[in-house]
Amino acid sequence: MKKMIIASTSTVHGSSYLEYLLPTLQLHFKGVKQIVFIPYARPSGITYDGYTAIVKKAFSNINIDVKGIHEFDNAKEAIGNSEAIFTGGGNTFELVNQLYKNDILSILKEVIAKGTPYLGTSAGSNICGVNMKNTNDMPIVYPPSFTTLGCIPFNINAHYLDPIEGSTHMGETRETRIKEFHVFNETAVLGLREGSWLEVNNDDIFLRGKLTARLFEQNKQPIELKSGGLIKF
């Protein structure tokens, strides 16, 4: 019985870390005393300890303790015995690299499938899909595989951005990059805008937040999905 929150971002403009999600997380993690945090993505190269401290401060607002997975002697046992899990954002290549290096991808998928509450933001959301091929990050390391958790039957493009009207920027849009992906790949991609998240209850996936999300499927025109709806395709 999967119980997941898959969020585009940890922080929205004008608020502190996880602030906009705390009411949702208070319900999502009801009864949880301690969360195992996976800091492997290391945004801006922050240390594991430094990253964990930020997360610990945020969750103190809802009276939940946080312990980084690097603080345990055995990462597999930490995941297997966890009450709940949070994987933070940063660089998806390095996150996936460390999940393989520490051999915890399989057990992470296993405990999520059994109902351990999971939160992912940004890179931690990218790994919930079939693979990590729709990340926006630079390939700073080379993971053994791009295959990720496959907890949802599509990929996430976190921090999805729409083209800015009147912009003179000549670089590729997110939509352009996803179209390039679909020349070679069949997996659907959900463009998840900042401030939006997915709520996963077993096989039911709902879009939450105030914004729509953009769904891309191979050889089809992209469509906008309304918040509150069950995602079906």
Side-chain angles (χ1 to χ4, degrees):
M1 181 67 181
K2 286 179 286 190
K3 186 180 178 184
M4 308 174 73
I5 297 292
I6 301 172
S8 181
T9 187
S10 61
T11 312
V12 295
H13 180 73
S15 70
S16 60
Y17 188 83
L18 290 179
E19 182 181 348
Y20 81 104
L21 271 177
L22 285 179
T24 297
L25 298 181
Q26 194 161 20
L27 293 173
H28 183 65
F29 291 124
K30 186 177 181 179
V32 171
K33 294 181 179 179
Q34 186 181 77
I35 289 172
V36 173
F37 175 55
I38 300 176
Y40 294 155
R42 299 183 62 184
S44 300
I46 193 172
T47 65
Y48 292 163
D49 285 340
Y51 200 0
T52 303
I54 292 170
V55 175
K56 194 178 185 76
K57 181 180 178 181
F59 274 98
S60 70
N61 291 302
I62 53 174
N63 300 311
I64 297 177
D65 190 27
V66 173
K67 187 171 181 178
I69 195 169
H70 63 289
E71 300 176 64
F72 293 87
D73 292 331
N74 187 308
K76 280 188 176 181
E77 288 182 5
I79 294 295
N81 297 326
S82 60
E83 292 181 81
I85 299 163
F86 171 33
T87 306
N91 187 280
T92 309
F93 287 90
E94 173 58 3
L95 169 59
V96 173
N97 188 49
Q98 290 299 325
L99 291 175
Y100 276 101
K101 183 177 180 179
N102 289 279
D103 194 24
I104 60 172
L105 192 69
S106 295
I107 193 168
L108 182 56
K109 182 174 182 176
E110 181 181 315
V111 299
I112 291 173
K114 290 180 178 179
T116 300
Y118 177 87
L119 167 65
T121 61
S122 190
S125 293
N126 291 339
I127 64 169
C128 296
V130 177
N131 56 60
M132 58 162 285
K133 291 182 180 179
N134 297 109
T135 179
N136 306 305
D137 302 319
M138 290 184 177
I140 60 173
V141 294
Y142 190 17
S145 172
F146 291 153
T147 300
T148 48
L149 293 170
C151 293
I152 53 176
F154 51 87
N155 283 351
I156 296 290
N157 179 248
H159 311 281
Y160 181 79
L161 289 171
D162 296 289
I164 300 172
E165 187 175 351
S167 173
T168 58
H169 176 66
M170 298 299 290
E172 298 91 342
T173 64
R174 295 286 173 82
E175 185 164 339
T176 298
R177 290 174 175 174
I178 295 170
K179 285 180 178 178
E180 292 168 351
F181 168 80
H182 275 146
V183 172
F184 303 101
N185 301 270
E186 295 181 358
T187 305
V189 181
L190 187 69
L192 198 57
R193 297 179 174 94
E194 292 196 346
S196 297
W197 66 93
L198 302 180
E199 177 187 335
V200 181
N201 294 310
N202 203 20
D203 292 327
D204 291 334
I205 306 170
F206 298 89
L207 177 63
R208 302 300 189 196
K210 298 178 181 179
L211 304 174
T212 59
R214 196 160 178 82
L215 179 64
F216 299 86
E217 296 181 80
Q218 190 182 52
N219 300 323
K220 293 183 180 180
Q221 289 296 314
I223 59 173
E224 291 290 326
L225 304 181
K226 293 182 179 180
S227 181
L230 182 66
I231 296 179
K232 295 179 180 181
F233 58 92

